[in-house]
Amino acid sequence: MRLFAAVLPPADVVEELGLVAGELKSLAGADRLRWTQPPGWHFTLAFYGEVEEDVVPELSRRLERAAERSEPFRLAVRGGGKFGRGRALWAGAEGDLGALRMLADRAEAAARKAGVPMGEHRRYTPHLTVARSREDLDVRPYVAVLDAFAGRSWTVSDLALVRSRLPASGVAGEQPRYEAVARWGLGAGG
């Protein structure tokens, strides 16, 4: 299974970001970007890639412990940026980023202890991917719109293990499908 750990924003936050995404799609050149869809919007904490099914129970146990050791915290979608030369456009986060980074570190450590090969550790950059491109693009106008955006905050109260199913039909524009296969409440009472 192709898996990752994530924070999933609530529906009202997704809806609010959707309004900004609509504004971005009206900018010149927007048709050159592949826009992600609101049902797939999330803050990836740790990407695991293909995980053998017999490893998933141990990974789940360790993620549950990571969630229990992490207290709920406040977060909001705020600002934006790009990776590479405009190959990925993303919305950022504000709030208790220290708690978010700690949760990301714990999600990565849980995978390593469960035997999931994680490669080299990189500092966590909180982001929610809004669009991608196969070519280098000047996305400064899009980043400017995102920089002016400050969404409502919410309390992150759980950690999700998400399964990603990549497009298989070959139909242009088909999006990956995401399914939360498990969620654990944050904190000792979670």
Side-chain angles (χ1 to χ4, degrees):
M1 286 190 273
R2 187 177 166 90
L3 298 172
F4 60 90
V7 165
L8 305 176
D12 60 334
V13 171
V14 168
E15 184 177 313
E16 190 176 49
L17 181 59
L19 296 174
V20 174
E23 184 180 339
L24 293 172
K25 291 176 186 177
S26 71
L27 296 176
D31 58 335
R32 296 173 60 199
L33 291 162
R34 292 175 299 142
W35 296 92
T36 60
Q37 300 300 312
W41 286 345
H42 58 270
F43 287 94
T44 300
L45 298 170
F47 180 74
Y48 305 136
E50 292 294 332
V51 177
E52 296 296 326
E53 286 198 40
D54 61 338
V55 175
V56 174
E58 180 64 16
L59 174 61
S60 296
R61 279 190 289 280
R62 292 185 178 277
L63 285 171
E64 181 176 23
R65 279 187 276 210
E68 288 172 355
R69 292 192 333 257
S70 303
E71 291 302 316
F73 58 93
R74 300 295 288 173
L75 195 65
V77 179
R78 163 90 178 69
K82 66 180 179 77
F83 289 128
R85 294 187 171 117
R87 298 254 175 154
L89 179 66
W90 49 265
E94 100 176 337
D96 193 343
L97 299 183
L100 182 62
R101 284 188 179 99
M102 178 64 73
L103 187 58
D105 288 346
R106 288 176 173 160
E108 181 179 320
R112 289 184 191 284
K113 291 175 184 171
V116 177
M118 292 298 294
E120 182 182 333
H121 174 76
R122 288 190 272 168
R123 179 163 168 77
Y124 179 69
T125 302
H127 68 281
L128 185 156
T129 303
V130 177
R132 292 183 179 87
S133 174
R134 288 192 167 96
E135 59 190 271
D136 295 344
L137 292 176
D138 179 8
V139 293
R140 286 179 292 182
Y142 303 93
V143 172
V145 170
L146 286 169
D147 274 344
F149 175 69
R152 70 187 75 183
S153 68
W154 81 95
T155 298
V156 175
S157 58
D158 65 14
L159 163 66
L161 179 62
V162 180
R163 182 175 188 175
S164 170
R165 296 177 192 264
L166 297 176
S169 70
V171 174
E174 184 181 8
Q175 298 280 321
R177 292 181 326 214
Y178 302 108
E179 167 194 8
V181 295
R183 290 176 93 142
W184 300 278
L186 301 185

